Amino acid sequence: MKKINRFGCRYRAVWLLALAYLCCSFVTRILLYFWALPEPDSSISAVVKTFFFGLVFDLVSACSISLPAILYLTILPNPLIGSKLDKSLTYFFTFLTLFLLSFTALAEFTFWEEFKSRFNFIAVDYLIYTYEVIANIAESYPLPLLFAIVLLTTLLGMYFIHKQKGFTTVFSSKASLKTRFIVLASVTAVVVLATVGLQNTDAEWSANRYNNELSKNGIYSFFAAFRNNQMKYSEFYKTIPENEAFDLVRNELQQNNSRFQSNGLSIHRTVSSPNPSNEKPNVVFILVESLSAKFLGSYGNTENLTPNLDKLATKACRFTNLFATGTRTVRGMEAVTLCISPTPGQSIVKRPKNAGLYTVSNVFKSKGYSCNFFYGGDGYFDNMDAYFGSNGFNIFDRGRGSILSDDIKTTRTLISDSQVTFENAWGICDEDIYNVMLEQADKQYASGKPFFNFVMTTSNHRPYTYPKGKIDIPSGSGRNGAVKYTDYALGKLFEAAQKKPWFKNTVFVIVADHCASSAGKDEIDIVNYKIPALIIGVEKLGQMEISKQCSQIDVMPTLFGALNWSYESDFFGEDVLNPLYHERALVATYRKLGFIKKDAVVILSEQKSVNHYKWDNDKNTLSKSAKNPRLEREAIAWYQTADYLFNNNKLK
């Protein structure tokens, strides 16, 4: 065996593997760029910057991927070089690495199709919930073909390294201790310096979100999201003195029928109805998966996808200018149950120490209601069972063996096979979950106790499958079919409910959890947060439109106001029909926090960055505007106070 001190030979297979990865990353970026057209900024300088930043992150990722192999080559004693053990380990881990990289590259395209983004916190979350994700992939894509592509790409990679004498050289060459140390130290230094000094946000150099996402590297973005899945507001975002923040929010929340219970760092208040009522109608609250306002005919759609919802809208109180707080189901759940400004990072639904919070269930329970949560999948997903179970709800879900902590005092009822006619990766179809709810509503009515039934739907989600023969769009053919089936199931729900003895004394609230897509070229795509909301069956409201700019967090306080209820409140949401209501909306990703007042938008980002924009609703564009100090402080206050109250256990 030759003793060679040059860097190239002993590490040749590693360099070739890194080169193959860099080429794959470059090709991926090109393909995603053309896929995204015409959204990215295509000026020469923008394209150069996009690919330059992309190369930087690709190089860092290549070094990180190569480091385990370099460490192995460094510590392997010279007598073992080329041995059966060395060859077995080298072939196996090279194949495994190439397979995982090929799989990741393919996964980037499927993730981009859904979210128009490189891997982010959603990918991190999905890694935890293997059943739902794997089943969803199996039902959405041709797995044998995808596996064959990944395997073929892996074998081509192995052949490339073989043809370039990567394996032959590594098994026949050895390096001096000095060479080994230099290589290991150099690559380690790059990885350490990048970990300390390079942030994923450094790729966000452009006002165009697509260029920023294309500048990133999928693997690097994944681990960056893994590190930052929960973010303390005070560490990452611009702040103002706590007293000032609370003064601003309290001033906004002050209405003519509310009275704060203490001074200082609190928003706890008593809301008193001027015409108090003992009326206790049943309330069926339906949080609909991914129902963008643009799908409904009553919001301008011309494809006749939602005839039942459009018919309901003609006799409902309809919000026409309401915005979701986020882009995930758990964020929507947080908004309608806690009525709180979204906090950066994970939704409170998924955080530790989220038990015993003051939610809408406390208001209902103070009136003698039974509170129940219905979900067609296994509620362990996204921590839903733990959140609802520890915050006053009984649970009805499709369990697959997950159990609740003994500390959670609730009743969990599993949906049986006999109650299911159709099921996909995410759960039973909407018709089935509504039937489960109707059955329980009958029992609750018979007990003489009013009920608050919270239903989370699943059918309007990839793979977009539903029972055959229900609508005129084949199951699994796309989003339009899922929307139309979602509407069909709602129609069937009302058809069945109208025959129930409890129907005349029941209020229905229908709200989307978030839009079907939130991605756009701007930091936050405002239009893609606009969702429908209907309140049906409140005599005081009747048929009306609420055109005031408002948020998902305002739906339940508006309902309580319409029912003439007096109650205690820790809610950031308000009754939008109160004459002192201040129009505004809060919209967020897991990192960017947006505050909207009319057409003025303030976006808060980590590294204590603040940007001001003017929003053109017709064109759905954000253009940079002059700084508005008052609006900026107000935006900071809404988010800073929410984060403070949760993290200091003041929402209990």
Side-chain angles (χ1 to χ4, degrees), residues 15 42 53 72 151 183 226 242 276 318 396 423 453 488 514 521 568 573 586:
W15 306 146
S42 298
F53 276 95
Y72 168 77
L151 183 60
V183 173
F226 185 82
E242 298 285 9
R318 182 165 65 99
F396 296 83
E423 190 169 15
N453 287 347
Y488 170 86
H514 55 80
K521 66 180 181 180
E568 299 292 307
L586 301 113

Side-chain angles (χ1 to χ4, degrees), residues 584-606:
R584 50 88 189 100
L586 301 113
V587 295
T589 67
Y590 80 109
R591 290 174 40 237
K592 295 185 181 295
L593 309 172
F595 184 72
I596 312 169
K597 269 204 166 180
K598 299 296 184 180
D599 63 352
V601 179
V602 176
I603 297 179
L604 312 175
S605 303
E606 64 265 65

Side-chain angles (χ1 to χ4, degrees), residues 233 238-245 248 633-634 636-637 640:
Y233 182 92
K238 189 173 181 179
T239 60
I240 58 178
E242 298 285 9
N243 287 334
E244 180 184 351
L248 283 166
R633 289 196 303 274
E634 196 175 323
I636 292 169
Q640 183 178 328

Side-chain angles (χ1 to χ4, degrees), residues 282 284 438 441-442 445 451 497 500-506 508:
N282 306 304
V284 175
L438 289 169
D442 289 342
Y445 173 74
F451 55 80
K500 303 292 185 180
W502 45 262
F503 177 77
K504 289 184 179 180
N505 189 38
T506 300
F508 288 82

Side-chain angles (χ1 to χ4, degrees), residues 449-460:
K449 195 173 186 178
F451 55 80
F452 171 53
N453 287 347
F454 186 119
V455 184
M456 179 69 230
T457 74
T458 59
S459 290
N460 190 25

